[in-house]
Amino acid sequence: MYSFAEENYIKAIYKLSDNGNQEVNTNAIADALETKAASVTDMLRKLSAKDIVNYVRYKGVSLTPAGERVALQIIRKHRLWETFLVEKLRFNWDQVHEVAEELEHISSSLLTRRLDEFLGYPKFDPHGDPIPSETGEMKPKKQRLLAEMEINESGLVVGVNDSQPLFLQYLDKMGISLGSSIRIIDKIPYDNSFEITLEEKKNLLISSEVSKNIFLSA
């Protein structure tokens, strides 16, 4: 059992470490959780004592194998709850993150298994992110950022790199959602923006920043 605060730190470290592939410094954690570096240091000592993180002061922090398992279970619950909120309670995809942030701390493994079964064992959440299995495995997905694609290439929207409400609301306004078909018509060298065709019906101009946050099928 871990406290809400401990679970938030574990999940933040996992995400900041590029899914466990690199060490994270305390300032990055402090920024992500909007807290002080001293508070981060105190928490890392506690998590280190519980064998959840490898922590050496001034050298960064990484999750232990036990810590990664905890992080993946928190992420699993979060994404299952997001799926439930969208599919069963008719929330919009820009409304579910904060609610799921609270629900992810429910510790019942039986509830999580029943929720997964009730939803039909989904592999991806409403934002296109993979849902870890009960054993921590995630189905790989071939995808590319729109920003990396060239003129005349096309694909289906399979995920977003930014799940903040303002960005999702922007996509809704543009008519872009998971499964939307996008084809690159032109790239504008001046500002790296893109002219695209949506569903072969509507032409849109997409900024460089937006193109870095839309994943298309590879």
Side-chain angles (χ1 to χ4, degrees):
M1 295 290 293
Y2 303 94
S3 69
F4 283 19
E6 288 173 333
E7 289 190 345
N8 286 337
Y9 270 84
I10 294 167
K11 185 175 73 169
I13 293 167
Y14 182 81
K15 290 186 174 181
L16 290 169
S17 68
D18 187 25
N19 300 339
N21 293 317
Q22 60 189 32
E23 290 191 337
V24 182
N25 65 56
T26 56
N27 287 332
I29 299 170
D31 289 343
L33 297 176
E34 298 181 348
T35 190
K36 297 178 181 179
S39 299
V40 174
T41 300
D42 289 342
M43 177 60 78
L44 293 180
R45 290 195 184 107
K46 293 177 183 178
L47 293 175
S48 180
K50 294 183 178 183
D51 194 33
I52 292 299
V53 301
N54 298 307
Y55 172 59
V56 178
R57 196 171 184 183
Y58 306 122
K59 291 188 177 181
V61 60
S62 61
L63 292 174
T64 64
E68 285 195 19
R69 288 193 293 271
V70 173
L72 287 166
Q73 288 308 304
I74 298 168
I75 292 168
R76 168 175 162 79
K77 289 184 286 183
H78 182 100
R79 293 177 179 173
L80 283 172
W81 282 118
E82 286 193 332
T83 305
F84 173 78
L85 291 167
V86 168
E87 291 188 0
K88 305 302 180 182
L89 298 186
R90 301 189 301 278
F91 279 69
N92 292 332
W93 67 340
D94 61 293
Q95 298 174 319
V96 296
H97 180 73
E98 290 186 359
V99 181
E101 285 278 295
E102 298 180 30
L103 293 170
E104 72 186 24
H105 298 292
I106 297 174
S107 61
S108 172
S109 56
L110 176 60
L111 175 60
T112 305
R113 286 196 296 271
R114 293 282 174 85
L115 179 63
D116 193 19
E117 180 184 8
F118 177 68
L119 293 170
Y121 306 102
K123 301 300 182 185
F124 302 97
D125 74 7
H127 307 117
D129 293 317
I131 299 174
S133 69
E134 191 169 3
T135 57
E137 298 172 345
M138 284 191 282
K139 183 179 179 180
K141 180 168 54 175
K142 293 182 179 180
Q143 60 185 23
R144 294 171 63 191
L145 284 173
L146 174 56
E148 298 170 351
M149 301 184 75
E150 301 297 335
I151 296 171
N152 292 324
E153 289 191 308
S154 61
L156 302 179
V157 178
V158 295
V160 293
N161 203 28
D162 181 354
S163 57
Q164 295 300 311
L166 285 177
F167 180 67
L168 299 177
Q169 290 163 15
Y170 169 81
L171 293 185
D172 284 339
K173 186 175 181 179
M174 294 295 103
I176 299 172
S177 60
L178 294 185
S180 293
S181 171
I182 288 179
R183 180 167 58 86
I184 315 301
I185 298 175
D186 197 10
K187 296 176 72 171
I188 292 82
Y190 175 70
D191 59 0
N192 293 317
S193 59
F194 285 74
E195 186 180 357
I196 67 168
T197 292
L198 180 65
E199 301 292 349
E200 295 295 340
K201 295 178 180 178
K202 181 169 70 171
N203 287 8
L204 297 172
L205 191 63
I206 297 296
S207 72
S208 174
E209 188 63 28
V210 169
S211 73
K212 296 173 183 176
N213 286 293
I214 297 176
F215 286 113
L216 299 182
S217 54

